[in-house]
Amino acid sequence: MSTTGTTRTSGNTGTTATTVDVDRSDADYRAWLKEAVRKVQADANRSADTHLLRFPLPEAWGIDLYLKDESTHPTGSLKHRLARSLFLYALCNGWVRPGRPVIEASSGSTAVSEAYFAKLIGVPFIAVMPRTTSPEKCRLIEFHGGACHFVDDPMKMYEESAELAARTGGHYMDQFTYAERATDWRGNNNIAESMYQQLRLERYPEPAWIVATAGTGGTSATIARYVHYMQHDTRICVPDPENSCFFDGWTHNDPDASSDCGSRIEGIGRPRMEPSFVPGAIDRMMKVPDAASVAACRALETAIGRKAGGSTGTGLWSALKIISEMVAEGRTGSVVTLLCDPGDRYLDKYYSDEWLAAQRLDIAPYAKTIDTLLTTGVWREPTA
């Protein structure tokens, strides 16, 4: 950095004034930045787009259900897109610097993906996480070179992350603030544009509904904004799990809504209204019981032979409820939801009968609702 002073004569006073010139350009940093951005962009360039899978429904219904399979990203989840966008946003803003750690508050999957990108560009990564995060996610973070920093109270993640960044001279990525602005929602191969391109040759290329669960809220914001920008008639539904405040905040128009405990469905649901959650862009929300989410996960495996995480189950339950309404009203069309991450990260949770018993979750009534719908076309709300 250099500072110089240049004198000039003032036309009004006849005195001289100094132009203060501070040059902070750094050739070594700009070379590092250029290479870091290239590496992150190259990841997107060499990664094939994720698949759009069909969930089998009775042909007579005239309804197609698709799952956008985000588990096929290099780090195995929808959060790979988010992490890539966050890193590009932070790099281009000059927030990430060589040798300094990137720090994130995360319940798991975002941290796995951010650890991957941190390793890709050669900076340390620290995930600030609830102590209840699944061991498999912790293992994946460490596999990608990251470190896990645990907190007992999920509400303390934000504060602890900011303090850790201040102590280390690092950058707090803050996915919950920047998720909705880091992604180009007008297109540029975002998840919404990808969906519509893949549906182009289907019999119902413009879906009646897109169902997207919310962790940061960034994905639902991106999809909703794209739909509005492209003038599609598609409606956006955001399902919310138990112990999350998004549904209450949305229904009561309360930006200060909060919950006093964390979500059992990892990756979605928050104890506060996050800055990246954009309520005004959303058409509909559902409050989904955790037992319904787990039942839908297991129904997905039966239907297509794929295990998925709990957030996928939350979205699938809501998508099936919407489809039951379409059947009852005699409407045809398509519905799209997300396969967010693979179920092998949750074998000790959503696929464990022991865990269900410990959590006092009875999935049988919800499994019966799904089975009844798929066999008769009728939606019967679960009863004990």
Side-chain angles (χ1 to χ4, degrees):
M1 181 180 75
S2 62
T3 304
T4 59
T6 303
T7 60
R8 63 176 174 80
T9 302
S10 169
N12 293 331
T13 64
T15 61
T16 59
T18 299
T19 299
V20 179
D21 183 354
V22 179
D23 184 353
R24 288 180 173 169
S25 59
D26 182 333
D28 290 339
Y29 164 67
R30 287 299 293 272
W32 177 88
L33 175 62
K34 184 177 180 180
E35 180 65 3
V37 171
R38 183 196 68 77
K39 288 177 177 177
V40 176
Q41 290 181 331
D43 172 85
N45 198 47
R46 65 176 174 265
S47 299
D49 200 1
T50 60
H51 301 300
L52 201 62
L53 308 178
R54 289 190 66 177
F55 185 100
L57 297 175
E59 185 67 26
W61 291 0
I63 299 171
D64 297 327
L65 172 59
Y66 303 91
L67 292 101
K68 180 70 167 160
D69 185 7
E70 296 293 286
S71 72
T72 58
H73 283 295
T75 53
S77 82
L78 169 66
K79 301 300 184 179
H80 192 87
R81 290 182 190 268
L82 172 60
R84 184 194 296 133
S85 295
L86 288 169
F87 264 84
L88 285 173
Y89 189 73
L91 284 164
C92 293
N93 282 335
W95 295 343
V96 175
R97 296 280 170 157
R100 300 183 187 179
V102 168
I103 293 148
E104 184 62 284
S106 172
S107 62
S109 287
T110 302
V112 173
S113 299
E114 288 190 16
Y116 168 91
F117 283 105
K119 184 178 182 179
L120 189 68
I121 66 173
V123 297
F125 178 76
I126 303 170
V128 179
M129 310 162 68
R131 200 170 296 279
T132 55
T133 301
S134 73
E136 177 62 13
K137 285 185 178 178
C138 298
R139 185 192 69 79
L140 289 170
I141 291 165
E142 292 169 351
F143 173 80
H144 291 299
C148 300
H149 181 97
F150 296 105
V151 294
D152 293 315
D153 181 357
M155 284 297 289
K156 298 293 185 184
M157 288 198 307
Y158 318 93
E159 180 183 347
E160 183 66 19
S161 297
E163 290 178 356
L164 194 55
R167 290 199 304 269
T168 61
H171 171 62
Y172 172 27
M173 194 68 88
D174 195 1
Q175 59 166 321
F176 298 106
T177 294
Y178 295 106
E180 56 86 12
R181 68 192 73 172
T183 300
D184 184 357
W185 50 266
R186 295 173 185 84
N188 194 23
N189 196 35
N190 67 35
I191 189 171
E193 184 179 55
S194 174
M195 286 177 182
Y196 279 90
Q197 284 295 322
Q198 291 174 314
L199 287 167
R200 186 168 50 88
L201 300 180
E202 300 298 307
R203 60 176 175 171
Y204 307 115
E206 183 173 299
W209 287 90
I210 295 177
V211 180
T213 50
T216 62
T219 298
S220 60
T222 296
I223 294 171
R225 286 165 169 167
Y226 180 84
V227 165
H228 301 158
Y229 180 69
M230 297 301 293
Q231 303 166 54
H232 292 305
D233 290 328
T234 306
R235 301 295 188 260
I236 309 302
C237 175
V238 175
D240 203 31
E242 294 178 28
N243 303 326
S244 175
C245 71
F246 286 145
F247 180 83
D248 289 340
W250 184 79
T251 53
H252 297 109
N253 195 27
D254 179 10
D256 297 319
S258 63
S259 173
D260 59 4
C261 59
S263 170
R264 282 183 293 204
I265 306 301
E266 288 191 28
I268 61 171
R270 299 299 305 156
R272 71 174 191 180
M273 291 288 278
E274 301 293 353
S276 283
F277 182 65
V278 184
I282 297 164
D283 296 290
R284 179 176 183 176
M285 289 196 71
M286 294 187 196
K287 194 70 171 178
V288 177
D290 291 347
S293 297
V294 177
C297 284
R298 297 190 179 194
L300 178 67
E301 183 180 15
T302 300
I304 67 171
R306 294 281 299 276
K307 284 185 171 70
S311 58
T312 300
T314 308
L316 180 57
W317 176 268
S318 296
L320 291 172
K321 188 174 191 303
I322 288 171
I323 286 168
S324 74
E325 296 167 356
M326 295 172 68
V327 172
E329 296 166 8
R331 291 187 287 125
T332 58
S334 59
V335 176
V336 182
T337 186
L338 304 175
L339 200 166
C340 303
D341 62 357
D344 57 10
R345 297 181 178 183
Y346 310 98
L347 296 180
D348 61 341
K349 285 193 171 182
Y350 313 128
Y351 295 91
S352 166
D353 292 339
E354 290 77 13
W355 183 83
L356 289 177
Q359 297 292 316
R360 298 183 179 179
L361 291 176
D362 180 8
I363 68 172
Y366 302 93
K368 184 177 180 181
T369 293
I370 295 172
D371 183 64
T372 300
L373 171 67
L374 297 178
T375 54
T376 70
V378 177
W379 181 272
R380 292 193 175 93
E381 283 295 331
T383 58

